[in-house]
Structure formats: structure tokens, C-alpha cells
């Protein structure tokens, strides 16, 4: 500071702050040696609070208005200084002007996605961002907790601290809300209102409140967003067969309206081909979807597999080569019911052409001998 500044500082008797910025929260009145003249005028404008600090200790606090500094209106400072019968000029004290208006359009956002559990999609990563307004509710607490001796404390100095506090509260609120991911947009306003009280309560010890808090958007990472877009498209299309027919009909119409010399005929042929190909693809997809899944387990052994009714119970399957032994042993007779794949119903074994040969024909009685 130059010589003229020092001289000028001794004669200035108006203590005030004309704020020409939009981001200054706290500003310390600059004086040579922090000296203030006896009877000086203190001007505190709307949206400001003036705080006197004596050797690091909070003294008197002034709301908006104009004051002449005397022992009557600075009682705490007078006590600290030991002025019983008035004070001499000049005296030393630091004067901080604290903005009490709302500092709007401050922004917050999650740098990295956070994870929540969704009932429909499982584990989902989300991002969120928005705006908020800041207001000082306790100038003394702000000076003690955040400002210290900073002569020019602006919003940028507290923005990162507030972002961390906000992100923690937002992630906790969204993770514990139990709201499905697809319904978060419809509940953003309600969540924001809840967070206003939560955040103001957690910041009260710093003399700060957030009277306005807005969640502008809750989003998912790009790869999840693409998957959701595909799912939305499938939901909009609905009946794939009807959609394909519509597309084919549109192609036919566009081809018929082609003004080229060969456009009408060739275009219609192309359109019909597209429609047939699309219909075939849909039919093929439908058949593939309708085809039953192959049964689990190994395939059947080669050769016919026979089921036999023994003592009123189904037995088998038996290979065809095993049946002669059962016939010889008397387990299977011509009247025994049998079945294999391809037969409409159970039939006596003697009536099945493939098995009739197992049963020897009974010879007729011998003719009378002469």
C-alpha cells in the first residue's frame, strides 16, 4: 500500500461494501492497520450483515442500516477493549461484510455413476445433476467454520465442499427411496423437496442453508441407455408380424409412386419381394419360436423300442432283439398288449405285423389215417 493510501485510510470515516460482483459471500473492509475512526459511519445495505471481529473473536453484528460507531452500539467490542467511559480514536477491529441474499444458479453433479438396486433391472448405475441456491443463515458460524481470515470469500471456494455434501445426500436418498428406476423422473420434485431440509440441516453448523435444490436429471450410462432405447422400440412395435406387413405395404406404396420410367413396375416387384422376404422371416421366426425344445438326456438306442404290458403294468422299453427271449419264457404271448412310437394305441402282440412271426402257428389236426 502506497503513502497516499495510508493517509486516505486515516481520514475515511465511512465503512461500507458496494458489492459489484455476484459471487462474493464475505468481504473484509480494508483499512491500514484495521484502524477505524471514532464516530465513523457504518453503512450496511440490504442483503448484508456486518460483523466486527477483535483479535479473532466475534464481537458485534449489525443488520441492514446506517450506524455511527459509538460505545453504545458496539457494546461487545467496547467490553473486549475495556472502554468504560468511551474510546479514543482510532481503534482497531476487523469488519467483515457477509452477504445474506440467495446465491442462485449454483450447480452440482455426480462425477462418477453410483450404484442402486432396482427391482426390475437389478443393479443399475446412475448419474444425477442439478442446481441449488445458497444462503448464509449464521454469519458468525460461517466466519468461524469456513472463512477464517480470508479477506474475499467467494462462492467458488465453497462450491466443491457443497458438491461433496450434496452428492452424498443424493446418492443416499436415491438408493434408499425404493423407487423404480423408470419412475425416478416422476418423483424428482418430491425428492428435491425432501433434500432441501436434509441438506440445510447438515449444513447448519457452517451457517449455510440451501433454500432451493433442484434435481434436473437422473440418467444412466450410455450403454444402459441404448439397451433401454431398444426395449422401448420393441414395446412401441408391439406385434412384429403386423409391423412387418405395414413396412412391406409402405415399401409397395413408395415403389409405386416412383416417377422413374421403370420405377412403377420394377419398384413394385422389388416391394413385393421385400414384403415376401419379410413375411418369410417372420414366419420362420414364429416357427422357430413354436418348435419345442429338444428333450434333455441321451437319444434313444437305435432300433425299435417296445413297451409291454406285464401284469397290468407298463414295462420297457425293450429292444426288438429282446422280445424273442420273453416270448420263449412265456412272459409275452400273442395276447400281450404292446406299443411303440408311431402306433395309435396298444395292440395284442400277435396282431402287430412286426411281431407276429414270433408266435409259431398252431398246426391243424392230422387227417384221419386209413
Amino acid at each position: 500500500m502506497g503513502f497516499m493510501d495510508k493517509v486516505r485510510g486515516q481520514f475515511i470515516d465511512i465503512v461500507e461494501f458496494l458489492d459489484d460482483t455476484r459471487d462474493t459471500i464475505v468481504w473484509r473492509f480494508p483499512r491500514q492497520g484495521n484502524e477505524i475512526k471514532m464516530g465513523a459511519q457504518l453503512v450496511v445495505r440490504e442483503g448484508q450483515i456486518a460483523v466486527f471481529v477483535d483479535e479473532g473473536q466475534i464481537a458485534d453484528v449489525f443488520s441492514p442500516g446506517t450506524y455511527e460507531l459509538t460505545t453504545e452500539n458496539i457494546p461487545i467490542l467496547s467490553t473486549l477493549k475495556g472502554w468504560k467511559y468511551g474510546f479514543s480514536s482510532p481503534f482497531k477491529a476487523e469488519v467483515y461484510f457477509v452477504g445474506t441474499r440467495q446465491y442462485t444458479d449454483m450447480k452440482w453433479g455426480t462425477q462418477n455413476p453410483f450404484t442402486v438396486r432396482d427391482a426390475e433391472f437389478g443393479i443399475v448405475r446412475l448419474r444425477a445433476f442439478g442446481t441449488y441456491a445458497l444462503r448464509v443463515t449464521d454469519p458468525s458460524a460461517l466466519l468461524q467454520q469456513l472463512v477464517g481470515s480470508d479477506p474475499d470469500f467467494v462462492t467458488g471456494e465453497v462450491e466443491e465442499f457443497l458438491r461433496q455434501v450434496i452428492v452424498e445426500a443424493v446418492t443416499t436418498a436415491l438408493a434408499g427411496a425404493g423407487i423404480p428406476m423408470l419412475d425416478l423422473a416422476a418423483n424428482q420434485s418430491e425428492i428435491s423437496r425432501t433434500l432441501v431440509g436434509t441438506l440445510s440441516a447438515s449444513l447448519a453448523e457452517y451457517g449455510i442453508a440451501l433454500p432451493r435444490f433442484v434435481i434436473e436429471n437422473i440418467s444412466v450410462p450410455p450403454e444402459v441407455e441404448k439397451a433401454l432405447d431398444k426395449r422401448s422400440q420393441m414395446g412401441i412395435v408391439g406385434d412384429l408380424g403386423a409391423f412387418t406387413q405395414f413396412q412391406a405395404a409402405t415399401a409397395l406404396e413408395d415403389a409405386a409412386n416412383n416417377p422413374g420410367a421403370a420405377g412403377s413396375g420394377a419398384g413394385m416387384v422389388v416391394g413385393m419381394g421385400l414384403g415376401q422376404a419379410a413375411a418369410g422371416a417372420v414366419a420362420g421366426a414364429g416357427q422357430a419360436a413354436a418348435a419345442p425344445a429338444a428333450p434333455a438326456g441321451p437319444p434313444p438306442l437305435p432300433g425299435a423300442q417296445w413297451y409291454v404290458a406285464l401284469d397290468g403294468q407298463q414295462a420297457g422299453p425293450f429292444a426288438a432283439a429282446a422280445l424273442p427271449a420273453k416270448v420263449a419264457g412265456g412272459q409275452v404271448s400273442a395276447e400281450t398288449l404292446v406299443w411303440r412310437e408311431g402306433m395309435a394305441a396298444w395292440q395284442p402282440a400277435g396282431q402287430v405285423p412286426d411281431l407276429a412271426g414270433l408266435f409259431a402257428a398252431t398246426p391243424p389236426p392230422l387227417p384221419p389215417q386209413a
Side-chain angles (χ1 to χ4, degrees), residues 27-107:
W27 182 78
R28 186 175 65 195
F29 184 75
R31 297 301 296 267
Q32 173 64 22
N34 295 327
E35 293 182 348
I36 300 176
K37 296 174 63 176
M38 180 179 62
Q41 296 291 315
L42 172 66
V43 179
V44 183
R45 289 173 171 77
E46 290 295 331
Q48 295 178 347
I49 291 288
V51 180
F52 279 67
V53 178
D54 178 52
E55 298 180 357
Q57 186 173 355
I58 302 294
D60 299 282
V61 178
F62 293 85
S63 58
T66 300
Y67 307 87
E68 181 179 351
L69 298 180
T70 63
T71 54
E72 286 77 9
N73 56 24
I74 47 175
I76 300 177
L77 185 63
S78 299
T79 301
L80 293 175
K81 293 292 187 181
W83 297 327
K84 298 181 180 179
Y85 307 104
F87 60 91
S88 58
S89 178
F91 67 93
K92 291 184 177 182
E94 296 176 342
V95 182
Y96 288 88
F97 287 88
V98 181
T100 57
R101 65 176 180 84
Q102 289 193 26
Y103 296 84
T104 59
D105 200 28
M106 298 186 69
K107 303 184 183 300

Side-chain angles (χ1 to χ4, degrees), residues 248-266:
T250 303
L252 284 172
E253 183 179 357
D254 292 341
N257 293 331
N258 190 340
S264 178

